[in-house]
Amino acid sequence: MKKKIVLTFSKGLGLLAILFVSTACVWILHRPEVPEELK
């Protein structure tokens, strides 16, 4: 029973980590357009 809870918890943490890393990669790759006034 305890092993099942730990396994579920670790899967949840793994999913959260993957989600965090993938969104961070999207933000790093996303470069907003610079307005002409700033160029």
Side-chain angles (χ1 to χ4, degrees):
M1 184 67 189
K2 198 173 186 180
K3 189 177 179 182
K4 191 177 180 183
I5 294 169
V6 171
L7 196 68
T8 307
F9 185 70
S10 64
K11 282 182 181 178
L13 276 179
L15 190 69
L16 198 72
I18 291 168
L19 192 73
F20 181 76
V21 170
S22 60
T23 52
C25 287
V26 169
W27 281 111
I28 290 168
L29 291 173
H30 174 71
R31 297 207 181 269
E33 291 181 22
V34 181
E36 286 295 322
E37 295 86 28
L38 295 176
K39 288 186 179 177

